[in-house]
Amino acid sequence: GAAVAALAAEARAAGLLAQHRVETGIVQRIAVAAAVAGGHDVLVKAATPESGSRLRHGPLARQLLRQCPCPVWIEQPDTPPRLRGVLVAVNPD
């Protein structure tokens, strides 16, 4: 809880709109329900590769990719970002 609050405070100090909430339960159900209830445009998840696997993400990420109604961005937290831009397709309706 405290680490999440510190990250949100750091984002707010940088001028971003950031909120945080800590919940317990089945992660993919909570994340999908929050995305639906909040009408979010994207869900960002840190990559957590399985031990000994060459996959870039584990079973939770695969479940979110299948179940979440909005796009899921899987971020590699231990690699520096090399993005020059992000292209997002948006339906204005």
Side-chain angles (χ1 to χ4, degrees):
V4 174
L7 287 172
E10 184 179 328
R12 285 190 295 273
L16 300 172
L17 174 62
Q19 299 174 355
H20 72 283
R21 183 173 73 202
V22 178
E23 294 190 29
T24 59
I26 300 172
V27 176
Q28 69 269 20
R29 287 186 187 166
I30 293 169
V32 170
V36 170
H40 298 294
D41 298 318
V42 66
L43 174 78
V44 179
K45 183 204 176 301
T48 53
E50 295 181 39
S51 177
S53 173
R54 294 181 352 158
L55 295 175
R56 292 172 117 10
H57 49 76
L60 174 59
R62 290 190 297 271
Q63 288 175 346
L64 288 173
L65 287 166
R66 283 192 304 269
Q67 297 173 4
C68 194
C70 65
V72 178
W73 179 318
I74 301 172
E75 177 68 25
Q76 297 288 343
D78 57 347
T79 58
R82 293 178 288 178
L83 299 175
R84 293 190 318 223
V86 177
L87 174 65
V88 178
V90 177
N91 181 349
D93 295 332

